[in-house]
Amino acid sequence: MKNKKISGAEAVIHCLLNEGVDLVWGYPGGAIMPVYDEFYKFQDKLKHVLARHEQGAIHAAQGYARSSGRVGVAIATSGPGATNLVTGIADAQIDSTPVVCITGQVPSHLLGSDAFQETDIIGISMPVTKWNYQITKASEIPEIFAKAFYIAKSGRPGPVLIDITKDAQFELFEYDYKKCNGIRSYIPYPEVNDDSIDHAVKLINQAKKPLIVWGQGVILGNAEEEFKNFVEKSGIPAAWTILGLSALPTSHELNVGMVGMHGNYGPNILTNKCDLLIAVGMRFDDRVTGDPSKYASQAKVIHLEIDPAEVDKNIKVDVPVIGNCKESLQMITNKIDKRSHKKWISKFDDLMKIEFDKVIKSDLSPNKKGLTMGESIIAINEFTNGDAIIVTDVGQHQMVACRYANFIKSKSNITSGGLGTMGFALPAAMGAKMGALEREVVAVIGDGGYQMTIQELGTIFQLQIPVKIVILNNDFLGMVRQWQQLFFDKRYASTEMINPDFVTIAKGYYIDSERVKNRKDLKPAVERMIKSKKPYVLEVCVEKEDNVFPMIPSGASVSDIRLD
């Protein structure tokens, strides 16, 4: 390719191919049209998926990245096309998802003139990207793309945005691509300090009541095996944040459940009873800690984290272990004593029995008048055997799915964690399926979030993406309604929904669909859905005013967790 002149638009395609990209999600428009013309010419080498909305494209790229472990790519035009990506970019930033977004821009001589469909997407996206850059000369394209992919996937992953003016897309230049393997002053993988390892080992060996809380850093670091070895040799009970879910099988004997606002009773209560808290690849989000002044204040805290900015940000740490947990976990495991903590673990078992009697038994009760979200998730477990990727939206159904879904493989729980983006699940599920074609992908969505990106049924139909969609319909914005019931004297302001006929809408997109209202019909319907080789929509009409417990009220201590 060197010494041969090509256009900037063609260079974009070659850059993507040089980075091993085979799938791009996007939506065309005037300012990015030269690149789309090249997509047409290279369609045998690079697949472009036409989303129905740019937000659908970025969420699909996120789902693809989360299921495949690769960098997702989304592309849009200038102005509204670019701004429609911003919610997904912000979601990717806070959830550490590696995506590269490409946006078209008005010609460089029009920048700053308020030209048609001009927005300052660099300024808009700066707070929610790991890095961004505006290209105004075609010759910049190879270096900037190489940097973009390196930054997006290295260290703590995140979103990168490249804005390309239209004249740069037309301009000819001599293309030469060199992959980026390092950037001055950017240290994505800090060197693990031996002293911090030794200090951590000493505390672990001395602890009588230790607790591990792990997050998505285990998955992003490809450290699942190292983490499992650490848990098993240390004998320490381990609890997860929602983004960490599936790094360790849910059936593992030392997996004691979820922490946080709607987490399990035992790990939340015992966070404030442990003498050592070992945080692995998590950032002490407020949904996990509740009131930080009352969070594990009695315990020594070890924090394994790749991003130094997260250490001591929310919770004061006694031993920071900076670096990739794949490396630091192995170093710690090699040095700790092999132990068991049976008496301590029995306390988690005792609290789980209380939770079962007061919460789980009701969630899964066959005696309730209406169907519950919990029994819907159990039915999915039965026909997927814990081997499916479950993609959830945001709300009650999300918490219920995280609590009751079974997982035997990593990268199986895909959800919007930090930003809490309604509308995430449907496009993310089609992206997840394209990133892991060999796996069953089930989207579990509430009736509210489903309607925010329902247009992506068009993408699913056009490509016949065999994703399974379960709508848990309670005719409410359920999580907001629950808060209104508990904290606002049941003033249900703007949360009840009069919904359309979801089955008819799915059939309008030529997608197989059915509705379940009675308990006896649930399992047969789930079985039909899972056995189908095509996309499928299953609407499950659940009780309207069911609540999700346990629950830690906002701003309360984890010790204040409520069971009703």
Side-chain angles (χ1 to χ4, degrees):
M1 189 67 65
K2 194 174 181 181
N3 299 325
K4 177 188 175 184
K5 286 193 173 184
I6 63 172
S7 70
E10 184 179 347
V12 169
I13 304 300
H14 286 292
C15 289
L16 295 174
L17 293 172
N18 285 144
E19 288 293 338
V21 175
D22 57 9
L23 181 65
V24 176
W25 303 82
Y27 204 97
I32 197 67
M33 205 171 293
V35 172
Y36 268 83
D37 191 49
E38 297 299 329
F39 274 127
Y40 183 84
K41 298 173 187 176
F42 284 85
Q43 58 188 291
D44 59 329
K45 294 182 180 179
L46 182 59
K47 184 177 182 63
H48 175 275
V49 177
L50 174 64
R52 294 305 185 263
H53 191 284
E54 292 88 354
Q55 184 179 351
I58 180 63
H59 288 328
Q62 289 177 269
Y64 175 88
R66 296 269 288 273
S67 71
S68 69
R70 303 173 67 187
V71 177
V73 180
I75 186 167
T77 192
S78 64
T83 58
N84 282 342
L85 294 175
V86 172
T87 295
I89 293 171
D91 192 284
Q93 171 80 339
I94 201 164
D95 281 355
S96 304
T97 305
V99 291
V100 170
C101 297
I102 304 161
T103 54
Q105 186 53 275
V106 300
S108 54
H109 72 277
L110 290 178
L111 289 172
S113 70
D114 291 333
F116 177 67
Q117 291 193 333
E118 180 195 2
T119 56
D120 178 12
I121 193 60
I122 294 297
I124 290 169
S125 67
M126 190 173 292
V128 292
T129 49
K130 192 175 177 184
W131 184 64
N132 65 13
Y133 190 90
Q134 185 175 76
I135 293 173
T136 58
K137 297 289 184 184
S139 58
E140 297 178 289
I141 290 172
E143 180 184 2
I144 296 305
F145 268 76
K147 280 185 177 181
F149 277 86
Y150 176 70
I151 291 170
K153 66 188 177 184
S154 60
R156 180 181 178 178
V160 171
L161 182 138
I162 305 170
D163 192 44
I164 314 175
T165 60
K166 194 168 184 179
D167 52 323
Q169 297 171 52
F170 282 120
E171 187 182 3
L172 300 178
F173 76 111
E174 292 183 4
Y175 177 85
D176 183 27
Y177 196 82
K178 294 177 183 176
K179 280 204 171 189
C180 181
N181 295 308
I183 299 171
R184 184 181 176 183
S185 78
Y186 172 53
I187 306 172
Y189 304 104
E191 186 176 346
V192 180
N193 181 278
D194 288 334
D195 289 342
S196 68
I197 295 293
D198 291 339
H199 195 178
V201 168
K202 183 179 179 181
L203 289 180
I204 292 168
N205 286 340
Q206 291 175 344
K208 303 297 184 187
K209 297 184 292 182
L211 172 63
I212 297 166
V213 177
W214 88 86
Q216 190 185 200
V218 174
I219 298 170
L220 296 174
N222 296 310
E224 293 92 342
E225 190 62 29
E226 290 80 3
F227 180 68
K228 181 171 177 283
N229 292 339
F230 168 64
V231 170
E232 291 178 349
K233 186 175 181 182
S234 69
I236 299 173
W240 38 269
T241 70
I242 63 169
L243 292 180
L245 175 57
S246 84
L248 190 71
T250 48
S251 61
H252 194 284
E253 60 182 358
L254 291 172
N255 185 334
V256 294
M258 179 169 69
V259 292
M261 181 170 280
H262 290 285
N264 293 107
Y265 193 52
N268 274 305
I269 289 287
L270 295 175
T271 293
N272 280 356
K273 301 290 184 182
C274 68
D275 60 5
L276 177 66
L277 182 67
I278 307 162
V280 184
M282 54 86 76
R283 57 187 180 84
F284 292 110
D285 171 74
D286 65 291
R287 281 296 202 261
V288 167
T289 66
D291 183 350
S293 69
K294 298 176 182 177
Y295 182 81
S297 56
Q298 79 293 337
K300 295 287 187 181
V301 179
I302 300 170
H303 192 181
L304 280 66
E305 174 60 51
I306 200 168
D307 184 356
E310 293 295 345
V311 176
D312 287 335
K313 187 174 83 173
N314 297 322
I315 297 296
K316 184 67 179 173
V317 173
D318 296 283
V319 183
V321 182
I322 307 298
N324 189 338
C325 65
K326 187 176 182 70
E327 180 183 3
S328 56
L329 281 169
Q330 187 168 349
M331 293 170 72
I332 292 172
T333 304
N334 289 340
K335 292 187 173 185
I336 60 173
D337 300 331
K338 183 170 178 58
R339 302 178 66 193
S340 65
H341 297 274
K342 290 183 180 179
K343 186 176 179 181
W344 170 234
I345 291 169
S346 69
K347 295 185 181 299
F348 290 87
D349 296 335
D350 293 343
L351 291 171
M352 177 51 80
K353 289 174 185 174
I354 294 172
E355 181 179 343
F356 181 84
D357 288 339
K358 292 195 174 183
V359 177
I360 298 172
K361 190 183 292 184
S362 174
D363 280 354
L364 307 181
S365 173
N367 300 318
K368 276 199 169 185
K369 182 179 179 181
L371 285 165
T372 69
M373 295 186 183
E375 61 186 317
S376 303
I377 303 302
I378 296 300
I380 293 170
N381 287 340
E382 182 175 334
F383 294 104
T384 60
N385 299 311
D387 195 29
I389 293 173
I390 306 291
V391 185
T392 51
D393 214 80
V394 174
Q396 288 180 314
H397 71 277
Q398 177 191 33
M399 296 296 102
V400 171
C402 287
R403 285 175 52 78
Y404 293 119
N406 290 335
F407 297 110
I408 60 174
K409 292 180 182 177
S410 187
K411 297 185 179 70
S412 293
N413 173 59
I414 298 175
T415 193
S416 173
L419 198 64
T421 305
M422 291 179 68
F424 172 86
L426 184 59
M430 66 185 188
K433 182 63 178 180
M434 297 290 277
L437 289 169
E438 74 286 359
R439 300 192 64 188
E440 191 74 73
V441 175
V442 181
V444 179
I445 316 177
D447 48 308
Y450 182 60
Q451 293 178 82
M452 288 193 171
T453 48
I454 195 171
Q455 73 281 344
E456 296 308 326
L457 290 176
T459 311
I460 291 168
F461 160 64
Q462 183 169 341
L463 272 74
Q464 284 298 294
I465 304 170
V467 64
K468 311 303 168 57
I469 301 154
V470 179
I471 309 162
L472 297 182
N473 182 8
N474 58 9
D475 294 313
F476 267 109
L477 299 177
M479 187 62 83
V480 183
R481 184 212 56 75
Q482 177 170 335
W483 280 56
Q484 289 172 332
Q485 176 185 336
L486 298 176
F487 307 116
F488 293 88
D489 297 327
K490 295 187 178 181
R491 292 188 294 274
Y492 296 153
S494 301
T495 47
E496 188 166 11
M497 302 191 73
I498 299 175
N499 286 316
D501 186 332
F502 292 125
V503 170
T504 298
I505 290 172
K507 288 180 178 177
Y509 284 101
Y510 306 100
I511 295 174
D512 291 342
S513 181
E514 62 178 304
R515 179 182 297 111
V516 170
K517 292 185 176 181
N518 299 312
R519 186 164 283 109
K520 65 180 177 62
D521 300 323
L522 176 62
K523 286 186 179 181
V526 172
E527 184 177 20
R528 283 190 293 273
M529 176 186 73
I530 297 300
K531 285 184 175 179
S532 173
K533 303 299 182 184
K534 300 187 294 183
Y536 205 103
V537 173
L538 175 62
E539 179 189 359
V540 182
C541 300
V542 297
E543 289 202 348
K544 291 188 68 169
E545 296 188 58
D546 251 6
N547 289 330
V548 182
F549 288 104
M551 180 182 184
I552 301 169
S554 181
S557 163
V558 292
S559 298
D560 297 326
I561 187 168
R562 296 173 52 168
L563 292 173
D564 53 35

